[in-house]
Amino acid sequence: GDYRKLELWNATTPTLKDREYSTDRFGELTLDAVERHNSSQPMFLYLPWQAVHEPYQAPPCCNKSCGPCDNVLHAMLREADKFIGRLTELLKKKSMYDNTLVVFTSDNGGVGDGNNYPLRGEKHTSWEGAMRTAAFVSGGLVPKTLRGTTSDIRVHIADWYTTLCNLAGVSPSDDSPISPEEVDPYNPNKDIYGEDSYPGVDGIDIWPALVGEDGGVEKSLQSRTLVLSREVLIKGDMKLIVAQPSPAEMVPKTLRNGWRMPNGTWEDYDPAAFPCDAYYHRAHFTPCLFNISSDLEERRNVATQRPEMVREMWRELNVTWLGAFTSRSPPELLGRCSRLCSMKHWWGLGGSGIGPMCGIKTCEREDVSNEEVFMQRFSA
Protein backbone atom coordinates (compact mmCIF):
# COMPACT_ATOMS: atom_id res chain seq x y z
CA GLY A 1 0.00 0.00 0.00
CA ASP A 2 0.85 3.69 -0.06
CA TYR A 3 4.05 4.52 1.84
CA ARG A 4 2.33 7.46 3.54
CA LYS A 5 -1.35 6.52 3.68
CA LEU A 6 -1.27 2.82 4.60
CA GLU A 7 -2.65 2.43 8.11
CA LEU A 8 0.11 1.77 10.62
CA TRP A 9 -0.33 0.07 13.98
CA ASN A 10 1.61 0.59 17.19
CA ALA A 11 1.46 -2.66 19.11
CA THR A 12 -2.28 -3.47 19.30
CA THR A 13 -3.85 -0.20 18.17
CA PRO A 14 -3.83 1.91 15.01
CA THR A 15 -1.48 4.85 15.34
CA LEU A 16 -2.97 8.33 15.17
CA LYS A 17 0.36 9.87 14.16
CA ASP A 18 0.37 11.97 11.00
CA ARG A 19 1.23 9.84 8.00
CA GLU A 20 4.98 9.60 7.56
CA TYR A 21 6.96 7.89 4.81
CA SER A 22 7.11 4.34 6.15
CA THR A 23 10.88 3.87 5.66
CA ASP A 24 11.52 6.94 7.79
CA ARG A 25 8.93 5.93 10.38
CA PHE A 26 10.26 2.38 10.83
CA GLY A 27 13.85 3.64 10.75
CA GLU A 28 13.31 6.20 13.51
CA LEU A 29 11.42 3.68 15.65
CA THR A 30 14.32 1.24 15.26
CA LEU A 31 16.94 3.80 16.26
CA ASP A 32 14.84 4.81 19.25
CA ALA A 33 14.50 1.18 20.40
CA VAL A 34 18.27 0.62 20.19
CA GLU A 35 19.03 3.93 21.88
CA ARG A 36 16.81 2.99 24.85
CA HIS A 37 18.12 -0.58 25.09
CA ASN A 38 20.31 -1.64 28.00
CA SER A 39 23.44 -2.71 26.11
CA SER A 40 24.38 -5.21 28.82
CA GLN A 41 21.33 -7.26 27.86
CA PRO A 42 20.81 -9.35 24.68
CA MET A 43 18.65 -7.86 21.93
CA PHE A 44 16.79 -9.27 18.96
CA LEU A 45 15.54 -6.73 16.44
CA TYR A 46 13.37 -7.59 13.43
CA LEU A 47 12.99 -4.79 10.90
CA PRO A 48 10.83 -5.73 7.88
CA TRP A 49 11.17 -2.72 5.60
CA GLN A 50 8.25 -1.93 3.31
CA ALA A 51 10.90 -0.64 0.90
CA VAL A 52 11.47 -1.46 -1.87
CA HIS A 53 8.08 -3.05 -2.43
CA GLU A 54 5.54 -1.54 -4.80
CA PRO A 55 4.13 1.08 -5.10
CA TYR A 56 7.25 2.95 -6.18
CA GLN A 57 7.13 6.19 -4.22
CA ALA A 58 10.10 8.51 -3.83
CA PRO A 59 11.14 9.42 -0.28
CA PRO A 60 10.39 12.97 0.89
CA CYS A 61 14.06 13.98 0.65
CA CYS A 62 13.98 13.77 -3.16
CA ASN A 63 14.71 17.11 -4.83
CA LYS A 64 15.58 18.41 -1.38
CA SER A 65 18.27 17.13 0.98
CA CYS A 66 19.16 14.08 -1.11
CA GLY A 67 18.96 15.81 -4.49
CA PRO A 68 17.15 14.63 -7.61
CA CYS A 69 15.79 11.06 -7.69
CA ASP A 70 15.74 10.10 -11.36
CA ASN A 71 15.46 6.41 -10.43
CA VAL A 72 12.74 6.09 -7.80
CA LEU A 73 13.59 2.46 -6.95
CA HIS A 74 17.20 3.42 -6.26
CA ALA A 75 16.06 6.37 -4.15
CA MET A 76 13.81 4.11 -2.07
CA LEU A 77 16.67 1.70 -1.45
CA ARG A 78 19.04 4.56 -0.63
CA GLU A 79 16.60 5.82 2.02
CA ALA A 80 16.54 2.40 3.71
CA ASP A 81 20.33 2.18 3.43
CA LYS A 82 20.64 5.56 5.15
CA PHE A 83 18.96 4.16 8.24
CA ILE A 84 21.03 0.98 8.11
CA GLY A 85 24.10 3.19 8.24
CA ARG A 86 22.73 5.16 11.19
CA LEU A 87 21.81 1.90 12.95
CA THR A 88 25.32 0.56 12.44
CA GLU A 89 26.88 3.70 13.88
CA LEU A 90 24.54 3.57 16.87
CA LEU A 91 25.41 -0.06 17.60
CA LYS A 92 29.09 0.88 17.56
CA LYS A 93 28.49 3.91 19.79
CA LYS A 94 26.76 1.70 22.38
CA SER A 95 29.55 -0.93 22.14
CA MET A 96 27.07 -3.51 20.83
CA TYR A 97 28.36 -3.95 17.29
CA ASP A 98 31.24 -6.33 18.03
CA ASN A 99 28.81 -8.92 19.38
CA THR A 100 26.08 -8.33 16.80
CA LEU A 101 25.09 -10.32 13.73
CA VAL A 102 23.20 -8.39 11.06
CA VAL A 103 21.23 -10.44 8.52
CA PHE A 104 19.87 -8.62 5.49
CA THR A 105 17.70 -10.80 3.29
CA SER A 106 14.63 -10.82 1.05
CA ASP A 107 11.56 -13.02 0.86
CA ASN A 108 11.24 -13.18 -2.94
CA GLY A 109 12.62 -11.89 -6.20
CA GLY A 110 11.83 -8.59 -7.82
CA VAL A 111 8.92 -7.61 -10.05
CA GLY A 112 7.94 -4.40 -11.80
CA ASP A 113 11.01 -2.16 -11.69
CA GLY A 114 12.96 -4.96 -10.00
CA ASN A 115 15.42 -6.95 -12.11
CA ASN A 116 16.56 -10.50 -11.31
CA TYR A 117 19.17 -10.80 -14.07
CA PRO A 118 20.53 -13.30 -14.94
CA LEU A 119 17.87 -15.44 -13.26
CA ARG A 120 14.70 -16.43 -15.05
CA GLY A 121 11.25 -15.04 -14.26
CA GLU A 122 10.11 -12.73 -11.49
CA LYS A 123 8.03 -12.73 -8.33
CA HIS A 124 4.80 -14.78 -8.60
CA THR A 125 6.49 -17.48 -10.73
CA SER A 126 8.21 -20.78 -9.98
CA TRP A 127 11.52 -19.75 -11.60
CA GLU A 128 14.74 -18.91 -9.79
CA GLY A 129 14.10 -15.18 -10.33
CA ALA A 130 11.19 -15.52 -7.92
CA MET A 131 12.68 -17.90 -5.38
CA ARG A 132 16.43 -17.26 -5.22
CA THR A 133 17.33 -14.00 -3.51
CA ALA A 134 20.49 -12.25 -2.43
CA ALA A 135 21.40 -11.94 1.23
CA PHE A 136 24.32 -10.77 3.30
CA VAL A 137 25.52 -10.99 6.87
CA SER A 138 27.51 -8.32 8.65
CA GLY A 139 28.40 -7.21 12.14
CA GLY A 140 31.27 -7.85 14.50
CA LEU A 141 30.27 -11.50 14.91
CA VAL A 142 31.43 -12.23 11.35
CA PRO A 143 35.06 -13.42 11.46
CA LYS A 144 37.42 -10.81 10.03
CA THR A 145 38.90 -13.30 7.57
CA LEU A 146 35.45 -13.78 5.97
CA ARG A 147 34.42 -10.15 5.65
CA GLY A 148 34.05 -9.15 2.02
CA THR A 149 33.81 -12.76 0.82
CA THR A 150 30.87 -14.63 -0.69
CA SER A 151 29.32 -18.04 -0.08
CA ASP A 152 27.35 -20.15 -2.53
CA ILE A 153 25.80 -22.54 -0.01
CA ARG A 154 22.08 -23.04 -0.53
CA VAL A 155 20.15 -21.56 2.39
CA HIS A 156 16.42 -21.55 3.03
CA ILE A 157 14.96 -18.56 4.85
CA ALA A 158 13.63 -20.95 7.51
CA ASP A 159 17.26 -21.74 8.41
CA TRP A 160 17.73 -18.32 9.98
CA TYR A 161 15.44 -19.08 12.92
CA THR A 162 17.41 -22.20 13.86
CA THR A 163 20.72 -20.43 13.31
CA LEU A 164 19.86 -17.36 15.39
CA CYS A 165 18.49 -19.50 18.22
CA ASN A 166 21.71 -21.51 18.42
CA LEU A 167 23.85 -18.38 18.31
CA ALA A 168 21.78 -16.96 21.18
CA GLY A 169 22.23 -20.15 23.18
CA VAL A 170 18.62 -21.32 23.16
CA SER A 171 17.05 -24.42 21.66
CA PRO A 172 15.26 -23.89 18.33
CA SER A 173 13.16 -27.03 18.73
CA ASP A 174 9.42 -26.74 19.24
CA ASP A 175 8.04 -30.22 18.73
CA SER A 176 4.40 -30.93 19.41
CA PRO A 177 3.77 -32.97 22.58
CA ILE A 178 1.16 -34.83 20.55
CA SER A 179 2.50 -36.32 17.34
CA PRO A 180 0.57 -35.72 14.13
CA GLU A 181 -1.01 -38.64 12.32
CA GLU A 182 0.62 -40.26 9.30
CA VAL A 183 -0.15 -38.81 5.89
CA ASP A 184 -2.44 -40.87 3.68
CA PRO A 185 -1.79 -40.63 -0.08
CA TYR A 186 -5.26 -42.07 -0.66
CA ASN A 187 -6.87 -39.32 1.41
CA PRO A 188 -5.18 -36.06 0.33
CA ASN A 189 -7.67 -33.91 2.27
CA LYS A 190 -6.83 -35.52 5.60
CA ASP A 191 -5.79 -33.04 8.29
CA ILE A 192 -3.01 -34.90 10.11
CA TYR A 193 -2.68 -32.24 12.82
CA GLY A 194 -6.20 -31.56 14.07
CA GLU A 195 -6.50 -29.09 16.96
CA ASP A 196 -3.85 -30.69 19.20
CA SER A 197 -0.75 -31.14 17.07
CA TYR A 198 1.62 -29.12 14.93
CA PRO A 199 4.85 -29.72 12.99
CA GLY A 200 8.28 -29.15 14.43
CA VAL A 201 10.62 -26.35 13.38
CA ASP A 202 12.11 -26.58 9.91
CA GLY A 203 15.59 -25.28 9.31
CA ILE A 204 19.25 -26.14 9.80
CA ASP A 205 21.87 -24.21 11.73
CA ILE A 206 23.87 -22.76 8.83
CA TRP A 207 26.42 -20.81 10.89
CA PRO A 208 29.11 -23.57 10.89
CA ALA A 209 28.84 -23.78 7.10
CA LEU A 210 28.95 -20.01 6.67
CA VAL A 211 32.11 -19.60 8.73
CA GLY A 212 33.77 -22.79 7.48
CA GLU A 213 33.77 -24.65 10.79
CA ASP A 214 31.96 -27.80 9.69
CA GLY A 215 32.16 -29.13 6.13
CA GLY A 216 29.59 -31.79 6.97
CA VAL A 217 26.91 -29.16 7.47
CA GLU A 218 27.73 -27.55 4.13
CA LYS A 219 27.51 -30.91 2.38
CA SER A 220 24.10 -31.61 3.93
CA LEU A 221 22.86 -28.17 2.90
CA GLN A 222 23.84 -28.76 -0.72
CA SER A 223 22.33 -32.23 -0.92
CA ARG A 224 19.10 -31.81 1.04
CA THR A 225 15.55 -31.69 -0.29
CA LEU A 226 13.66 -28.40 -0.18
CA VAL A 227 9.96 -28.04 -0.92
CA LEU A 228 9.59 -24.42 -2.04
CA SER A 229 5.93 -24.48 -3.03
CA ARG A 230 3.12 -26.77 -4.10
CA GLU A 231 4.76 -26.82 -7.54
CA VAL A 232 8.51 -26.75 -6.81
CA LEU A 233 10.95 -29.17 -5.21
CA ILE A 234 14.76 -29.00 -5.08
CA LYS A 235 16.75 -32.17 -4.41
CA GLY A 236 20.47 -31.62 -4.41
CA ASP A 237 21.38 -29.98 -7.70
CA MET A 238 18.07 -30.80 -9.37
CA LYS A 239 14.96 -28.62 -9.39
CA LEU A 240 11.53 -29.90 -10.38
CA ILE A 241 8.92 -27.39 -11.56
CA VAL A 242 5.48 -28.92 -12.02
CA ALA A 243 3.73 -25.67 -12.97
CA GLN A 244 3.48 -22.01 -12.06
CA PRO A 245 1.62 -21.01 -8.87
CA SER A 246 -2.14 -21.31 -8.95
CA PRO A 247 -3.77 -18.10 -10.26
CA ALA A 248 -6.31 -18.48 -7.45
CA GLU A 249 -3.51 -17.50 -5.05
CA MET A 250 -1.88 -14.86 -7.24
CA VAL A 251 -2.60 -11.25 -8.19
CA PRO A 252 -1.11 -11.11 -11.73
CA LYS A 253 -3.30 -12.04 -14.68
CA THR A 254 -0.22 -12.96 -16.72
CA LEU A 255 3.29 -14.10 -15.79
CA ARG A 256 6.72 -13.28 -17.16
CA ASN A 257 8.40 -16.64 -17.82
CA GLY A 258 11.40 -15.42 -19.78
CA TRP A 259 14.63 -13.65 -18.87
CA ARG A 260 14.87 -9.94 -18.13
CA MET A 261 18.01 -8.27 -19.42
CA PRO A 262 19.96 -5.55 -17.55
CA ASN A 263 18.41 -2.89 -19.83
CA GLY A 264 14.91 -4.00 -18.80
CA THR A 265 13.93 -5.81 -22.02
CA TRP A 266 12.68 -9.39 -21.90
CA GLU A 267 14.07 -12.39 -23.75
CA ASP A 268 11.18 -14.67 -24.70
CA TYR A 269 11.12 -18.48 -24.60
CA ASP A 270 9.66 -21.44 -26.51
CA PRO A 271 6.59 -22.67 -24.56
CA ALA A 272 6.89 -26.10 -26.18
CA ALA A 273 10.31 -26.56 -24.55
CA PHE A 274 9.05 -25.51 -21.11
CA PRO A 275 5.57 -27.00 -20.50
CA CYS A 276 5.88 -26.18 -16.79
CA ASP A 277 4.82 -22.63 -17.65
CA ALA A 278 1.20 -23.77 -17.04
CA TYR A 279 -0.75 -21.10 -15.14
CA TYR A 280 -4.47 -20.99 -15.92
CA HIS A 281 -4.72 -24.43 -17.55
CA ARG A 282 -4.24 -26.84 -14.65
CA ALA A 283 -6.05 -30.00 -15.74
CA HIS A 284 -2.83 -31.75 -16.77
CA PHE A 285 0.76 -30.90 -15.85
CA THR A 286 4.02 -31.72 -17.61
CA PRO A 287 6.94 -30.94 -15.27
CA CYS A 288 10.32 -29.47 -16.13
CA LEU A 289 13.62 -30.55 -14.59
CA PHE A 290 16.73 -28.39 -14.28
CA ASN A 291 20.22 -28.77 -12.86
CA ILE A 292 20.47 -25.44 -11.06
CA SER A 293 24.16 -25.90 -10.30
CA SER A 294 25.18 -26.02 -13.96
CA ASP A 295 22.10 -24.25 -15.38
CA LEU A 296 21.18 -21.52 -12.93
CA GLU A 297 19.29 -19.60 -15.63
CA GLU A 298 16.97 -22.59 -16.22
CA ARG A 299 17.52 -22.74 -19.97
CA ARG A 300 17.91 -26.52 -20.36
CA ASN A 301 14.89 -28.63 -19.45
CA VAL A 302 16.21 -32.19 -18.98
CA ALA A 303 12.90 -33.79 -17.95
CA THR A 304 12.70 -36.00 -21.03
CA GLN A 305 16.23 -37.29 -20.38
CA ARG A 306 15.56 -38.06 -16.70
CA PRO A 307 11.97 -39.39 -16.60
CA GLU A 308 12.56 -41.62 -13.57
CA MET A 309 13.96 -38.73 -11.56
CA VAL A 310 10.96 -36.61 -12.54
CA ARG A 311 8.58 -39.30 -11.29
CA GLU A 312 10.46 -39.76 -8.01
CA MET A 313 10.72 -36.05 -7.27
CA TRP A 314 7.09 -35.41 -8.25
CA ARG A 315 5.94 -38.17 -5.93
CA GLU A 316 8.09 -36.82 -3.09
CA LEU A 317 6.67 -33.35 -3.63
CA ASN A 318 3.08 -34.62 -3.53
CA VAL A 319 3.61 -36.78 -0.45
CA THR A 320 5.45 -34.04 1.41
CA TRP A 321 2.69 -31.55 0.65
CA LEU A 322 0.18 -33.85 2.34
CA GLY A 323 1.86 -32.81 5.59
CA ALA A 324 1.54 -29.08 4.95
CA PHE A 325 0.35 -27.20 8.01
CA THR A 326 -2.26 -24.44 7.92
CA SER A 327 -2.06 -22.29 11.03
CA ARG A 328 -5.17 -22.33 13.16
CA SER A 329 -6.48 -20.98 16.46
CA PRO A 330 -8.97 -23.05 18.48
CA PRO A 331 -12.25 -21.19 19.17
CA GLU A 332 -11.56 -21.03 22.92
CA LEU A 333 -8.38 -19.06 22.21
CA LEU A 334 -9.92 -16.82 19.57
CA GLY A 335 -12.75 -15.57 21.72
CA ARG A 336 -15.89 -14.13 20.21
CA CYS A 337 -15.63 -12.97 16.59
CA SER A 338 -17.77 -10.06 15.42
CA ARG A 339 -17.05 -8.26 12.18
CA LEU A 340 -19.34 -5.29 12.78
CA CYS A 341 -18.44 -4.85 16.44
CA SER A 342 -14.72 -4.99 15.69
CA MET A 343 -15.05 -2.39 12.93
CA LYS A 344 -16.86 -0.08 15.35
CA HIS A 345 -14.12 -0.66 17.93
CA TRP A 346 -11.23 0.23 15.58
CA TRP A 347 -13.08 3.23 14.16
CA GLY A 348 -13.42 4.50 17.71
CA LEU A 349 -9.63 4.33 18.08
CA GLY A 350 -9.07 6.35 14.92
CA GLY A 351 -8.44 3.46 12.57
CA SER A 352 -10.05 2.52 9.29
CA GLY A 353 -12.14 -0.24 10.86
CA ILE A 354 -9.93 -2.98 9.44
CA GLY A 355 -8.33 -4.98 12.21
CA PRO A 356 -8.63 -8.17 14.29
CA MET A 357 -12.21 -9.40 14.53
CA CYS A 358 -11.85 -11.85 17.40
CA GLY A 359 -11.09 -11.62 21.10
CA ILE A 360 -11.90 -7.91 21.50
CA LYS A 361 -13.00 -7.36 25.10
CA THR A 362 -15.70 -4.81 24.32
CA CYS A 363 -17.19 -7.22 21.77
CA GLU A 364 -17.17 -10.12 24.23
CA ARG A 365 -19.82 -8.30 26.23
CA GLU A 366 -21.85 -6.86 23.36
CA ASP A 367 -25.03 -8.66 22.33
CA VAL A 368 -24.68 -9.21 18.60
CA SER A 369 -26.89 -11.24 16.30
CA ASN A 370 -25.95 -14.59 14.84
CA GLU A 371 -25.61 -12.92 11.43
CA GLU A 372 -22.85 -10.70 12.83
CA VAL A 373 -20.99 -13.36 14.76
CA PHE A 374 -18.90 -15.90 12.97
CA MET A 375 -16.23 -18.31 14.07
CA GLN A 376 -13.51 -19.28 11.64
CA ARG A 377 -10.09 -20.81 11.52
CA PHE A 378 -7.52 -18.21 10.63
CA SER A 379 -4.62 -18.84 8.27
CA ALA A 380 -1.42 -16.86 8.46
Side-chain angles (χ1 to χ4, degrees):
D2 192 290
Y3 275 60
R4 293 177 180 84
K5 298 179 181 178
L6 188 67
E7 183 169 285
L8 303 179
W9 284 52
N10 186 0
T12 58
T13 58
T15 177
L16 303 180
K17 183 178 176 63
D18 292 339
R19 299 303 185 220
E20 183 179 0
Y21 192 75
S22 70
T23 303
D24 297 345
R25 180 70 173 139
F26 296 148
E28 294 294 350
L29 287 170
T30 300
L31 293 171
D32 181 64
V34 175
E35 186 67 68
R36 291 184 289 102
H37 180 68
N38 181 353
S39 58
S40 67
Q41 299 296 317
M43 182 181 196
F44 174 77
L45 177 71
Y46 174 56
L47 175 57
W49 296 106
Q50 183 181 0
V52 291
H53 199 283
E54 292 181 303
Y56 302 118
Q57 295 176 327
C61 69
C62 284
N63 299 317
K64 297 177 183 177
S65 60
C66 60
C69 299
D70 297 331
N71 187 309
V72 174
L73 185 68
H74 291 179
M76 294 168 69
L77 184 57
R78 180 177 61 190
E79 188 73 0
D81 189 54
K82 177 183 74 176
F83 280 100
I84 294 171
R86 291 177 60 186
L87 175 61
T88 301
E89 290 304 314
L90 181 58
L91 290 169
K92 291 178 178 179
K93 173 187 171 184
K94 291 175 67 70
S95 300
M96 296 170 63
Y97 187 78
D98 289 344
N99 197 35
T100 292
L101 177 66
V102 178
V103 179
F104 195 96
T105 188
S106 178
D107 57 351
N108 50 252
V111 68
D113 287 356
N115 193 318
N116 306 306
Y117 179 85
L119 303 179
R120 183 174 186 173
E122 58 184 357
K123 179 184 177 181
H124 305 300
T125 70
S126 296
W127 310 107
E128 288 294 275
M131 297 185 164
R132 181 184 293 260
T133 67
F136 69 78
V137 293
S138 185
L141 210 61
V142 177
K144 291 183 178 180
T145 56
L146 294 178
R147 297 175 190 178
T149 65
T150 60
S151 173
D152 62 356
I153 65 172
R154 189 175 301 135
V155 173
H156 192 284
I157 198 168
D159 294 329
W160 286 118
Y161 174 80
T162 306
T163 302
L164 294 174
C165 283
N166 285 336
L167 285 173
V170 298
S171 172
S173 64
D174 186 23
D175 295 331
S176 173
I178 300 177
S179 298
E181 299 179 22
E182 295 292 328
V183 299
D184 182 359
Y186 298 99
N187 183 12
N189 295 320
K190 177 183 177 182
D191 180 2
I192 66 173
Y193 300 103
E195 298 293 350
D196 301 314
S197 183
Y198 51 86
V201 171
D202 288 324
I204 295 175
D205 181 1
I206 62 175
W207 188 246
L210 283 178
V211 299
E213 294 177 351
D214 187 347
V217 174
E218 182 173 349
K219 184 177 180 180
S220 67
L221 287 170
Q222 297 300 90
S223 61
R224 66 173 166 170
T225 298
L226 292 173
V227 175
L228 300 187
S229 73
R230 182 66 183 85
E231 296 83 15
V232 179
L233 180 138
I234 292 177
K235 194 175 184 68
D237 294 331
M238 307 307 293
K239 176 182 176 182
L240 179 79
I241 301 180
V242 176
Q244 300 307 302
S246 170
E249 302 173 1
M250 295 289 114
V251 174
K253 301 300 181 185
T254 60
L255 299 181
R256 291 280 198 172
N257 292 304
W259 299 263
R260 193 174 196 183
M261 299 295 105
N263 64 4
T265 62
W266 283 86
E267 177 186 337
D268 211 348
Y269 70 103
D270 177 10
F274 302 100
C276 55
D277 68 349
Y279 188 43
Y280 282 105
H281 303 292
R282 310 185 74 80
H284 176 75
F285 292 139
T286 302
C288 300
L289 184 67
F290 302 94
N291 185 320
I292 53 174
S293 290
S294 61
D295 179 26
L296 188 58
E297 297 180 24
E298 297 170 302
R299 292 180 177 271
R300 298 185 295 275
N301 176 16
V302 298
T304 56
Q305 292 118 275
R306 309 284 296 272
E308 187 58 34
M309 176 173 286
V310 170
R311 283 192 291 270
E312 291 177 2
M313 292 179 66
W314 198 357
R315 181 184 182 281
E316 184 172 3
L317 173 61
N318 288 334
V319 172
T320 303
W321 200 258
L322 295 178
F325 180 76
T326 302
S327 60
R328 70 283 311 266
S329 295
E332 60 269 20
L333 293 182
L334 277 178
R336 199 172 202 178
C337 301
S338 170
R339 179 171 53 185
L340 296 184
C341 180
S342 67
M343 292 175 69
K344 178 181 177 182
H345 176 77
W346 300 125
W347 275 328
L349 293 176
S352 66
I354 300 175
M357 293 181 284
C358 302
I360 301 171
K361 291 183 178 180
T362 56
C363 297
E364 294 285 346
R365 299 187 301 269
E366 186 162 318
D367 183 20
V368 290
S369 66
N370 290 332
E371 288 76 19
E372 295 175 17
V373 178
F374 61 98
M375 299 302 296
Q376 65 179 11
R377 178 177 294 174
F378 279 89
S379 301

